[in-house]
Amino acid sequence: MLKREFQVSGMTCAACQARVTRVVSVLLGVSDVDVNLLTGKMAVVFDETKIDEKAIEDAVSKAGYHAEVSSDDNYDEYSAKWKKLKQMQRKDIQT
């Protein structure tokens, strides 16, 4: 699983935020979406074997907005931590 942050432009209200959230959350491979109207940022956790950043950007564009991956390189580190946390949670559930 990867977590990427996107900069989203064109959102002007809560309905816009809800639409972007809905459009991205139904994509195959996406497990979590958090859209912040005030900052114009969207964090997406997704399975990189099923979907890529371009497909997420395209889905947002088809909804009438613009999204592009933020250029912050800290997300690979975050993704590794997220994956480790999920593995730990699975172990706890199994025991």
Side-chain angles (χ1 to χ4, degrees):
M1 297 295 258
L2 290 176
K3 180 173 182 178
R4 290 284 188 257
E5 187 169 285
F6 295 78
Q7 191 66 42
V8 181
S9 59
M11 296 186 300
T12 59
C13 64
C16 297
Q17 177 183 5
R19 180 171 168 88
V20 171
T21 300
R22 189 172 49 254
V23 164
V24 175
S25 67
V26 299
L27 295 173
L28 180 65
V30 172
S31 62
D32 190 38
V33 182
D34 181 33
V35 180
N36 188 313
L37 174 64
L38 297 177
T39 63
K41 294 188 179 203
M42 172 177 68
V44 182
V45 178
F46 62 96
D47 182 344
E48 68 275 13
T49 64
K50 296 180 180 174
I51 193 166
D52 61 10
E53 292 94 340
K54 178 77 170 108
I56 295 168
E57 291 172 351
D58 289 346
V60 173
S61 290
K62 287 179 184 175
Y65 308 94
H66 176 76
E68 65 181 52
V69 176
S70 295
S71 60
D72 190 349
D73 292 331
N74 293 332
Y75 289 99
D76 288 330
E77 180 181 336
Y78 181 85
S79 293
K81 289 179 183 177
W82 178 264
K83 190 173 189 177
K84 185 175 181 178
L85 175 64
K86 286 296 184 185
Q87 289 171 344
M88 290 170 55
Q89 288 174 337
R90 286 188 193 117
K91 281 184 181 180
D92 286 344
I93 291 171
Q94 292 173 352
T95 57

